[in-house]
Amino acid sequence: MLSALATAGLLLGALIGLPGTAQAAGSLPCDIYGGAGTPCVAAHSTVRAVFSAYNGPLYQVTRASDGATADIGLLAQGGYANAAQQDAFCSNSTCRINRIYDQTARHNDLYPGPAGTSGMGADRGADASELAVTAGGHKAYGIWISPGVGYRSHGAASGTAVNGQPEGVYMVASGTHVGADCCFDYGNAESTPADTGNGHMDAVSIATTCYFAPCTGSGPWIEADLENGMFQGDNGSNTANTGNSSPFVTAVLKNNGQTTYALKGGNAQSGGLTTWWNGALPTRGGYRPMQQEGGIILGIGGDNSNWNMGTFFEGVMVSGYPTDAAENAVQANIVSVGYSGQTNVPNGPQGTITGPGGTCVDVGANDTGTNGTGVQLWDCQSYAEDQHWTHNANGSLSTIGRCLDIVGNGTAAGAQVELWDCNGVGGQQWVQRSDGSLFNPQSGRCLDTPGGNTANGTRLQIWDCNGSAAQKFALA
C-alpha cells in the first residue's frame, strides 16, 4: 500500500510539473495548445522549452571580445536553459543575444531588427547577462529590453495569421520593468518595418501606455497593439482593466480576425488569468476584418519604434482561436515553473559608477549609445542599462556593447570621453585607484567632472589628477 501511494505521489508530481522536476509528456504550453487544436506556429524563450519534445538551442550569443558565437541550449529535453553554458562562454567579456530560436519546426527565428519608418536606427541585441532569474529551480536569463533593443523575423513568418485569420499569443514578461513609450510588443506585425495602416498588427503588450483615455490607475496594462493604437478593449479605452504589476506577468491576446478579440492577464507565479476584455474588435476603420501581415516582433513596434523597455522570458503564437480551457492550462503550467527573482533592475555582472554629487556615469541618447555618444553625469536610475558598467579583465569599462573611450584616443587635459567600439586602445584603459579616482595610464590623467559640476548632462573629460571631489568615482 505504501509503495502504491509513493508511486501515485510521483505521478502527481510529474503531472503538475513541480519546479525543478521534469515536465510530464504533453504538459508544456505548445503541447497544450496543439492538443486543443490550435498549434504553435512560433515559440520563443531564453528560459525553457515550451514543447516537451524540444531539445534544441534556445538562443545564440555573440561575444564582444572576439565576435565568436555560441548556441545556448537546454539542461535536458523539454527542460530549462543551460545558463552555466552562457556564463562560461561569456566569462571575462560581454555577450549579446543575436538570435532567438523558434522551437517549432517552422524556423521562425528572431534577429535584431532593421531600421524602420519610425526614424529609429537598426536594433541591437540585448545584453545576454542583464537579468538572471530562477525557473524550475535553475538559473536562467531573461531578455532585458532597453531603448534600441529589439527583434524581428526575416519578413513574414511561416504559419502566422494573415489577412484576418484567427490567432492567439501569450508572453511571460515583467510587470516591474515597464515604460510608456512605443513599444514593448510580442506578436504579429508588418512583414517590413513600416506602419502600413490600422489592423496590420496583432501583438500583445504590457506597458504604462494609456493610448486611449481614460485608463484606470497607472498600469502597467496588458494591451493589444493592433497598429495605430494600444487597445484595452472596445475602441481603445477600458476602465475595467486595472493592470498587472507583479514581477512576472502572463499577458494573453487572442483575435478571431473578423469581429472579436480578448485580453487576459495573470501573475505568472500564482493564480489564474483575469479576462480584461472579451468582445468586439474596434469599429474604427481597418480592424474588421484584421489585415495582419504575419511578421513577428519582440520588444518593438511594427515600424521599429524601439523607445520602450521591458523584459521577456517566454512566448508563443498559435494558429486558430484558442479555447479558454487551453489558456487556463497554459497559465497553470507557467505557474508550475516557479519563476522567481527581482525583475526591475539589472542584476548581471555590471555595476554602477557613482560620481560627484551621488550622480551616475551615464551615456547620452537614452540607452541607444552609438559610436561617439557623449558620456555624462545623470541622476541614477536603477533600470537604465547605460548606467550599468562592466570592468573588464583588460581594464576597459563597457556598457550597451561599447567602451568608455577618450575622444580621438587623446591625452590632453580637457579631452572629452565618449562611448566607442571596444578596441583595446590606451584611451579605453581605466584603473580604479585607492583615492577613488579612475586613472587612464596612457594620458597620465584622471576621469574628471569639469568644474565639479554635477548637473544632469555634464560631459565628462580627463584632467590632471588632483584628488578633488570632481574626480571621485566609485565602482559598485
Side-chain angles (χ1 to χ4, degrees):
M1 183 175 181
L2 288 173
S3 175
L5 287 172
T7 301
L10 288 171
L11 288 172
L12 179 60
L15 287 170
I16 64 174
L18 293 173
T21 67
Q23 300 285 351
S27 67
L28 299 190
C30 283
D31 305 320
I32 294 167
Y33 280 125
T38 49
C40 288
V41 295
H44 304 102
S45 178
T46 55
V47 172
R48 64 167 180 151
V50 291
F51 282 96
S52 295
Y54 189 72
N55 199 24
L58 296 177
Y59 58 102
Q60 185 179 86
V61 296
T62 300
R63 190 165 55 200
S65 60
D66 58 3
T69 62
D71 286 342
I72 307 303
L74 297 163
L75 294 168
Q77 177 181 313
Y80 296 91
N82 187 350
Q85 181 185 11
Q86 174 184 313
D87 291 340
F89 180 78
C90 301
S91 178
N92 297 319
S93 183
T94 58
C95 283
R96 290 204 170 271
I97 299 173
N98 66 293
R99 184 176 186 177
I100 307 166
Y101 287 100
D102 176 20
Q103 296 180 31
T104 79
R106 295 179 177 275
H107 305 292
N108 290 325
D109 300 344
L110 303 180
Y111 306 85
T117 58
S118 66
M120 299 297 290
D123 301 321
R124 67 182 188 274
D127 187 318
S129 61
E130 200 82 56
L131 187 75
V133 297
T134 299
H138 304 282
K139 178 182 178 181
Y141 289 101
I143 301 175
W144 181 272
I145 301 290
S146 294
V149 173
Y151 297 88
R152 197 179 200 104
S153 61
H154 285 164
S158 170
T160 49
V162 295
N163 298 323
Q165 293 176 327
E167 69 180 340
V169 58
Y170 88 81
M171 69 173 169
V172 175
S174 168
T176 58
H177 178 223
V178 290
D181 293 316
C182 185
C183 297
F184 179 70
D185 293 348
Y186 175 68
N188 198 316
E190 289 90 346
S191 58
T192 59
D195 180 348
T196 52
N198 294 357
H200 285 246
M201 288 183 61
D202 189 28
V204 69
S205 173
I206 181 167
T208 55
T209 310
C210 182
Y211 195 98
F212 297 105
C215 301
T216 298
S218 57
W221 302 281
I222 292 166
E223 303 173 304
D225 189 344
L226 306 181
E227 191 56 284
N228 299 319
M230 305 295 290
F231 292 85
Q232 295 186 20
D234 194 22
N235 274 315
S237 176
N238 177 17
T239 55
N241 188 339
T242 57
N244 293 81
S245 59
S246 54
F248 299 88
V249 172
T250 308
V252 181
L253 165 67
K254 58 183 174 183
N255 189 332
N256 75 2
Q258 301 295 314
T259 59
T260 302
Y261 76 113
L263 285 166
K264 301 180 181 182
N267 185 335
Q269 294 175 292
S270 64
L273 296 171
T274 298
T275 299
W276 294 124
W277 176 255
N278 184 9
L281 277 165
T283 56
R284 302 167 188 266
Y287 303 106
R288 292 187 182 183
M290 295 290 293
Q291 303 172 67
Q292 314 101 309
E293 297 182 29
I296 303 175
I297 56 171
L298 170 59
I300 55 176
D303 60 356
N304 195 44
S305 294
N306 59 7
W307 298 286
N308 210 352
M309 58 186 179
T311 307
F312 177 90
F313 301 100
E314 63 178 82
V316 312
M317 299 171 64
V318 307
S319 175
Y321 196 75
T323 65
D324 291 339
E327 290 167 337
N328 291 339
V330 167
Q331 167 66 0
N333 173 261
I334 291 167
V335 169
S336 78
V337 168
Y339 274 107
S340 65
Q342 191 173 12
T343 62
N344 62 332
V345 294
N347 61 7
Q350 309 90 339
T352 57
I353 306 176
T354 306
T359 57
C360 279
V361 176
D362 174 276
V363 181
N366 194 24
D367 286 356
T368 55
T370 55
N371 278 339
T373 303
V375 176
Q376 60 189 11
L377 294 181
W378 201 269
D379 291 338
C380 296
Q381 300 165 319
S382 61
Y383 56 82
E385 183 184 0
D386 63 353
Q387 291 184 0
H388 288 77
W389 299 79
T390 299
H391 205 162
N392 302 303
N394 67 354
S396 63
L397 288 162
S398 60
T399 187
I400 55 177
R402 292 186 168 89
C403 280
L404 180 64
D405 176 273
I406 301 172
V407 174
N409 202 30
T411 59
Q416 292 184 318
V417 296
E418 63 183 358
L419 206 65
W420 198 267
D421 290 335
C422 301
N423 53 28
V425 299
Q428 294 183 358
Q429 308 301 306
W430 303 94
V431 178
Q432 178 81 74
R433 302 203 300 188
S434 59
D435 65 354
S437 62
L438 276 173
F439 176 70
N440 174 245
Q442 175 175 275
S443 65
R445 294 185 165 89
C446 288
L447 188 66
D448 179 90
T449 305
N453 190 354
T454 60
N456 280 344
T458 300
R459 182 78 177 265
L460 298 177
Q461 63 180 13
I462 57 170
W463 197 262
D464 293 338
C465 300
N466 54 35
S468 69
Q471 295 183 357
K472 305 294 186 186
F473 294 88
L475 275 69

